[in-house]
Amino acid sequence: MSAAEKLDFHITPGAWFRQDLLYPVFGLSTEAVRKYRTRGLWLEGKHWRKDPANVIVYNRAAIERWMEGKP
């Protein structure tokens, strides 16, 4: 592949995904996300939870509804 060629990746996250995709998908920084969790704006079990590896994952559909102002 030459330097002039460019690869475009289109990522479609699953229902639950890790924090690395929050910025590309929603434009949310890690600091903003931490504040949403610690202030109780995002609820454990609804907007986020820990996966079997004890890593926080986020629910795409719940976050989309939250961003639309829906419960």
Side-chain angles (χ1 to χ4, degrees):
M1 181 167 59
S2 72
E5 292 178 325
K6 179 183 172 187
L7 293 177
D8 285 327
F9 290 96
H10 299 278
I11 298 170
T12 304
W16 292 90
F17 59 91
R18 293 187 177 190
Q19 183 168 321
D20 298 353
L21 292 179
L22 284 170
Y23 187 79
V25 173
F26 294 111
L28 297 171
S29 70
T30 56
E31 180 64 17
V33 170
R34 183 192 62 78
K35 287 179 182 177
Y36 295 156
R37 281 194 333 265
T38 58
R39 294 179 181 169
L41 297 172
W42 284 5
L43 305 175
E44 185 172 5
K46 180 177 181 178
H47 300 100
W48 67 275
R49 65 175 171 85
K50 290 190 178 180
D51 69 8
N54 205 33
V55 176
I56 295 176
V57 291
Y58 298 88
N59 184 286
R60 180 177 47 86
I63 293 170
E64 286 174 350
R65 285 190 300 274
W66 179 82
M67 293 183 91
E68 293 170 354
K70 298 177 182 175

